[in-house]
Amino acid sequence: MKETRDSIKDIWGERTPHKDGKWPTRVDERTLERPQRWVRSACILCSNGCALDIGVKDGRMVGVRGREADRVNRGRLGPKGLHGWVANHSPARLTRPLVRRDGKLRETTWTQAMNLIVRKTKETQKKYTSGAIGIYNTGQLFLEEYYTLSIISHAGLGTNCVDGNTRLCTATAAQALKETFGSDGQPGSYSDLDVADCILMAGHNMASTQTVLWSRILDRRAGDNPPKLVVVDPRKTWTAREADVHLAPRVGTNVALMNGLLNLVIEAGNIDEDFIEEHTVGFEKLEAVVREYTPERVEQITGVPVKTLRAAARLLGGAEKLFSTVLQGFYQSHQATAASVQVNNLNLIRGMIGKPGCGILQMNGQPTSENTRETGCDGEFPAFRNWHNPEHVYDLAERWNVDPMKIPHWHLPNHAMEIFRNAELGSIKFLWIICTNPAVSLPELHRIRKILSQENLFVVVQDAFLTETAELADLVLPAAMWGEKTGTFTNADRTVHISYQAVDPPGEARSDLDIFLDYAARMDFRDKDESLWSNGWTQRGRSSIGRNALRVGSAIIAG
Ligand code: SF4
């Protein structure tokens, strides 16, 4: 066994201070046996997306090591990355499809399972239209899998009842970016953190959630040009303990706090008037609103002392390179989008965006969850196209070679809770749940479990484990996990990593891509001229992903 450190006890590892604007490398490794070969991959357990190699011996994973050359982590791995791969070996993995017969889930063949899905799809379409088919997916597939699912949903079936569990996690990130910038793309890079002179972490406990990125900050703070750190969190987290100024507002008062900071920054004249004039709208309105949030009033609402608020505003207003990050403390709180947008506004009025050391990252939960949004599996359309913009819809229809009316743009996409509500009311008859466990993770569990148990709802669950949701399903499809399939994913700062298949999935489990391609072929989805997958597909899906998946998948990567 080789372990470069006990990452459970020593979460962030030894300090390797930045020198001359560069973050030194440090390779972390944990292997239980000496690998026979290493397979290139990246960690999917937080949105940092650290690059790593998977060690393989005799067809089994035996450990991981960080990839030294990678810009995201320069060889480092945190406790989740070093230990998470062990889950692949769980004896609880699903290995064969299961179908409900006489009230019990019993093993079946892939052919029977896929024939049943296709038959149920066609029956539902014929009797109720494709609008009666719902797809509730995940933040954990690979880009190519999501994109294939997006084509199936939007160009194959034509349903607008598609959403990911990202809806309940970091939907605020998408919404805040769209509200401010008109598009859900992240305007920042981890490289900016190497040169920023002030960092704001709003509701973001980076020390616990993105441990390698936190090492990058600690290493800057230990280096020759340390940045100031302002942290907003009601709790005294590890992140907050490190801060130069810790703002601990009462829960639910983030908007008032941000308004107070914006007011002080504007009042002190720390704004970039040229930038505001050239690149923003509505500054006067913003100024009028935040003027009402005097430090004394903000203290009354938030509990943050006037002195502390002023100290934070001085740092944020005086910085020459300001970088801001946002996460769940803002997303899962009162007025989530408004509070997160005010962080965007802080960088905008200071002109701190689009140049080195300046920017914003509205963080995600996992690198793969960014792909849910990029590909339109959150109910939007691929590459951040807007369902409400006819030009976007026509452009997509042209790329997919389908009639624009096939693409469901006549109504707002139904979000996750609406999909379940529609199932409850009986207007959704077929619900395909992919790599997520709503019987545990959605609000009002008793209601969700009752919905999933309805006689007149056909429920398919595609997962690696027999989850609480799978136990209620009519059909269960065993899926491969990370390391058992090849694909790419996009981390929070838009670095795309490829993860190669290192080992075979257990038993008869298949990659999600294989399952989607098999379904698409059996459904015989067509564009205007030929099959939507006219370049062919294979049962195992490894050699031929399909013309459309490759074409637009690579366009997203290039973007
Ligand atoms: S910081 Fe995130 S991506 Fe990196 S090893 Fe830890 S969990 Fe994985």
Side-chain angles (χ1 to χ4, degrees):
M1 172 167 167
K2 180 174 176 190
E3 190 170 43
T4 48
R5 78 175 188 284
D6 180 347
S7 63
I8 305 296
K9 284 189 185 143
D10 180 9
I11 298 171
W12 308 293
E14 62 170 328
R15 294 284 51 77
T16 46
H18 287 235
K19 277 188 208 130
D20 306 324
K22 290 212 173 81
W23 192 27
T25 60
R26 184 194 80 200
V27 177
D28 297 335
E29 178 175 333
R30 181 171 177 270
T31 43
L32 300 184
E33 294 177 58
R34 186 192 289 270
Q36 291 160 334
R37 62 192 176 95
W38 292 98
V39 180
R40 183 173 179 166
S41 180
C43 178
I44 54 168
L45 297 175
C46 86
S47 61
N48 210 43
C50 297
L52 56 77
D53 293 318
I54 302 171
V56 179
K57 185 182 178 197
D58 300 331
R60 280 173 64 81
M61 290 185 195
V62 292
V64 291
R65 74 173 176 205
R67 287 180 67 82
E68 188 171 2
D70 196 272
R71 65 178 293 275
V72 170
N73 53 324
R74 303 211 200 283
R76 291 165 191 77
L77 293 174
K80 286 194 282 182
L82 289 165
H83 290 263
W85 57 274
V86 175
N88 283 63
H89 295 162
S90 167
R93 293 286 304 276
L94 286 168
T95 56
R96 291 200 66 190
L98 305 171
V99 66
R100 189 167 299 281
R101 272 195 227 108
D102 305 324
K104 289 204 167 136
L105 286 172
R106 299 172 199 276
E107 288 191 351
T108 187
T109 64
W110 272 105
T111 304
Q112 284 178 333
M114 296 312 291
N115 283 344
L116 180 60
I117 291 197
V118 169
R119 180 163 63 79
K120 285 288 183 183
T121 305
K122 290 186 174 170
E123 280 174 11
T124 307
Q125 284 177 314
K126 195 167 169 203
K127 209 165 167 190
Y128 304 102
T129 78
S130 288
I133 298 171
I135 297 175
Y136 182 49
N137 65 94
T138 174
Q140 293 164 335
L141 303 182
F142 290 168
L143 188 156
E144 297 77 7
E145 295 174 325
Y146 283 122
Y147 185 65
T148 305
L149 180 62
S150 185
I151 299 175
I152 288 173
S153 310
H154 297 126
L157 294 169
T159 174
N160 73 345
C161 294
V162 183
D163 202 0
N165 60 14
T166 49
R167 173 74 53 193
L168 289 100
C169 181
T170 50
T172 303
Q175 203 53 36
L177 290 170
K178 280 189 274 188
E179 286 226 1
T180 304
F181 303 107
S183 172
D184 178 17
Q186 297 277 7
S189 163
Y190 292 155
S191 306
D192 291 320
L193 289 168
D194 297 343
V195 287
D197 64 13
C198 182
I199 300 165
L200 166 66
M201 292 188 192
H204 185 187
N205 180 14
M206 190 189 281
S208 295
T209 56
Q210 290 159 295
T211 59
V212 171
L213 194 57
W214 182 241
S215 296
R216 193 172 193 142
I217 303 292
L218 291 178
D219 285 343
R220 276 234 42 218
R221 304 259 300 168
D224 45 18
N225 184 22
K228 297 292 182 194
L229 181 62
V230 178
V231 172
V232 183
D233 199 315
R235 305 161 303 163
K236 199 159 190 174
T237 59
W238 290 112
T239 314
R241 280 169 212 263
E242 175 71 19
D244 296 289
V245 179
H246 172 205
L247 301 161
R250 287 190 190 100
V251 171
T253 64
N254 292 331
V255 171
L257 181 87
M258 288 309 304
N259 285 351
L261 288 171
L262 287 163
N263 179 39
L264 286 173
V265 167
I266 295 171
E267 204 177 68
N270 285 323
I271 57 173
D272 183 335
E273 285 175 7
D274 291 343
F275 184 90
I276 292 170
E277 178 66 28
E278 273 176 57
H279 300 291
T280 70
V281 292
F283 174 73
E284 295 74 20
K285 274 191 199 163
L286 177 82
E287 189 181 21
V289 168
V290 302
R291 195 182 297 132
E292 305 293 319
Y293 288 81
T294 61
E296 293 72 24
R297 184 171 174 220
V298 171
E299 179 172 344
Q300 225 175 20
I301 299 170
T302 67
V304 172
V306 168
K307 207 169 115 192
T308 316
L309 192 76
R310 285 191 185 281
R314 270 196 300 277
L315 289 183
L316 300 170
E320 287 175 13
K321 292 174 189 167
L322 173 66
F323 196 89
S324 303
T325 68
V326 191
L327 197 63
Q328 301 293 28
F330 272 38
Y331 301 167
Q332 302 286 333
S333 189
H334 187 52
Q335 293 181 290
T337 304
S340 304
V341 161
Q342 290 300 52
V343 177
N344 296 339
N345 284 338
L346 174 65
N347 275 68
L348 287 179
I349 65 167
R350 297 236 47 234
M352 298 283 169
I353 194 158
K355 52 191 184 187
C358 304
I360 303 151
L361 288 175
Q362 300 276 350
M363 292 288 186
N364 309 319
Q366 295 167 302
T368 43
S369 67
E370 184 85 24
N371 301 117
T372 324
R373 285 149 49 188
E374 284 178 347
T375 58
C377 282
D378 63 345
E380 307 274 333
F381 293 139
F384 308 134
R385 286 183 181 82
N386 185 345
W387 69 276
H388 204 39
N389 183 331
E391 280 176 28
H392 287 192
V393 175
Y394 290 135
D395 175 59
L396 189 59
E398 197 181 322
R399 285 167 190 268
W400 280 345
N401 192 31
V402 295
D403 190 304
M405 285 312 292
K406 181 76 185 175
I407 297 175
H409 63 285
W410 49 83
H411 188 273
L412 265 171
N414 285 289
H415 63 65
M417 297 313 292
E418 283 166 345
I419 292 173
F420 279 85
R421 176 68 176 145
N422 291 347
E424 185 173 45
L425 293 174
S427 62
I428 282 187
K429 300 290 187 190
F430 178 122
L431 183 57
W432 193 342
I433 298 169
I434 300 156
C435 196
T436 185
N437 193 6
V440 168
S441 55
L442 284 187
E444 295 186 89
L445 286 184
H446 61 285
R447 182 177 150 231
I448 297 297
R449 290 180 187 198
K450 202 167 148 199
I451 293 169
L452 292 171
S453 309
Q454 289 175 113
E455 285 281 311
N456 63 355
L457 178 70
F458 183 71
V459 178
V460 179
V461 169
Q462 185 169 317
D463 209 299
F465 295 92
L466 191 66
T467 61
E468 290 80 354
T469 304
E471 281 173 0
L472 300 172
D474 297 292
L475 185 67
V476 180
L477 305 176
M481 288 170 65
W482 166 91
E484 298 164 357
K485 56 185 183 177
T486 295
T488 59
F489 38 89
T490 315
N491 76 351
D493 91 333
R494 293 162 295 141
T495 303
V496 180
H497 281 121
I498 189 160
S499 178
Y500 288 105
Q501 180 176 5
V503 297
D504 284 331
E508 296 177 17
R510 288 184 185 173
S511 79
D512 298 276
L513 183 63
D514 289 350
I515 297 169
F516 296 147
L517 291 173
D518 188 353
Y519 173 73
R522 287 171 197 267
M523 285 295 297
D524 196 22
F525 290 125
R526 305 242 136 210
D527 61 21
K528 282 184 191 162
D529 304 315
E530 52 194 354
S531 165
L532 268 171
W533 279 267
S534 59
N535 274 1
W537 58 279
T538 65
Q539 192 80 348
R540 300 300 300 159
R542 288 182 189 136
S543 57
S544 175
I545 293 175
R547 164 172 62 90
N548 273 322
L550 285 173
R551 188 170 61 200
V552 186
S554 59
I556 291 168
I557 291 170

